[in-house]
Amino acid sequence: SQTIHQWPATLVQPVGSPLSLECTVEGTSNPNLYWYRQAAGRGLQLLFYSVGIGQISSEVPQNLSASRPQDRQFILSSKKLLLSDSGFYLCAWSGWEGMYGYTFGSGTRLTVV
Amino acid sequence: DQQVKQNSPSLSVQEGRISILNCDYTNSMFDYFLWYKKYPAEGPTFLISISSIKDKNEDGRFTVFLNKSAKHLSLHIVPSQPGDSAVYFCAASGDPGGGADGLTFGKGTHLIIQP
């Protein structure tokens, strides 16, 4: 069965510090991978998606970047965090495995102070 | 420009009664609709989905209805249970298998089941 791991669960970072959130998927190959953010009082917003190694597309301009160094690894980064980067970040995967739907990781609560 | 709208931020329902969560969308290219349930500090979990070729899909206590002409869908939970208290997100996509579009989410409805 497919599983998705995301870490860390919580993170408190000062403004201007770097960020690295990691997501890995097991039990599938060549998944589509996504980073979403849920800001306070808002729905889930798609930040980045990737259909393959090294292939990253961004939905909105922002202070963040994403990378996919391996087929089942997706990393969300920032060189210098802003206060507005605070939120709940979710990694997700989707793909044809005989079922529809997206599977989300457990999320990372990022607080920039 | 919000393409998926959940106009009720919260909904309170008595245990055992029916919960009805509504969702409207504007993008006629959406062909696939999903409902997710989310507890605080956890990732959303998939509940039920429906494709645009259907108008109803049922799974246990959960039923999703789609009115494509009105661009409206609803999630019915019968009977409502205390464990159903959570935030429910409506999501839509033009590609059921994933793909580059990802999902477009509504802002969510906080369902509160009262004993």
Side-chain angles (χ1 to χ4, degrees), chain A residues 32 34 36 38 41-44 46 49 88 90 94-96 100-102 104-106, chain B residues 32 34 36 38 41-44 89 93 96-103 105-107:
Chain A
N32 296 321
Y34 309 87
Y36 285 88
Q38 183 186 15
R42 295 188 167 191
L44 290 158
L46 178 63
Y49 61 86
F88 192 60
L90 288 151
S94 74
W96 293 102
Y100 297 130
Y102 291 63
F104 286 85
S106 54
Chain B
Y32 193 58
L34 308 93
Y36 284 83
K38 185 181 180 299
E42 293 184 10
F89 287 99
S93 172
D101 289 341
L103 291 172
F105 284 87
K107 290 187 176 183

Side-chain angles (χ1 to χ4, degrees), chain B residues 4-72:
Chain B
V4 177
K5 299 178 184 178
Q6 293 177 258
N7 291 321
S8 298
S10 67
L11 175 67
S12 184
V13 175
Q14 199 168 10
E15 182 180 356
R17 307 292 281 267
I18 182 172
S19 295
I20 301 176
L21 297 100
N22 293 303
C23 178
D24 297 292
Y25 63 96
T26 57
N27 189 339
S28 58
M29 299 301 290
F30 288 146
D31 271 333
Y32 193 58
F33 305 90
L34 308 93
W35 284 94
Y36 284 83
K37 176 181 178 180
K38 185 181 180 299
Y39 294 116
E42 293 184 10
T45 55
F46 171 73
L47 272 179
I48 193 168
S49 64
I50 189 168
S51 71
S52 60
I53 61 173
K54 293 186 173 182
D55 55 19
K56 176 183 175 182
N57 188 26
E58 191 172 353
D59 184 2
R61 296 187 297 116
F62 302 93
T63 303
V64 56
F65 296 92
L66 175 63
N67 182 335
K68 204 174 178 188
S69 60
K71 293 190 175 68
H72 176 83

Side-chain angles (χ1 to χ4, degrees), chain B residues 69-92:
Chain B
S69 60
K71 293 190 175 68
H72 176 83
L73 63 154
S74 61
L75 174 69
H76 293 211
I77 306 173
V78 183
S80 300
Q81 299 175 353
D84 296 330
S85 294
V87 176
Y88 289 78
F89 287 99
C90 171

Side-chain angles (χ1 to χ4, degrees), chain A residues 67-109:
Chain A
S67 62
R68 187 169 176 174
Q70 299 179 43
D71 180 45
R72 289 170 288 179
Q73 184 185 28
F74 205 23
I75 298 172
L76 182 68
S77 304
S78 174
K79 291 182 179 178
K80 288 185 178 181
L81 283 169
L82 305 172
L83 286 174
S84 57
D85 292 324
S86 294
F88 192 60
Y89 289 83
L90 288 151
C91 179
W93 78 272
S94 74
W96 293 102
E97 299 286 346
M99 60 181 289
Y100 297 130
Y102 291 63
T103 301
F104 286 85
S106 54
T108 297
R109 169 69 62 191

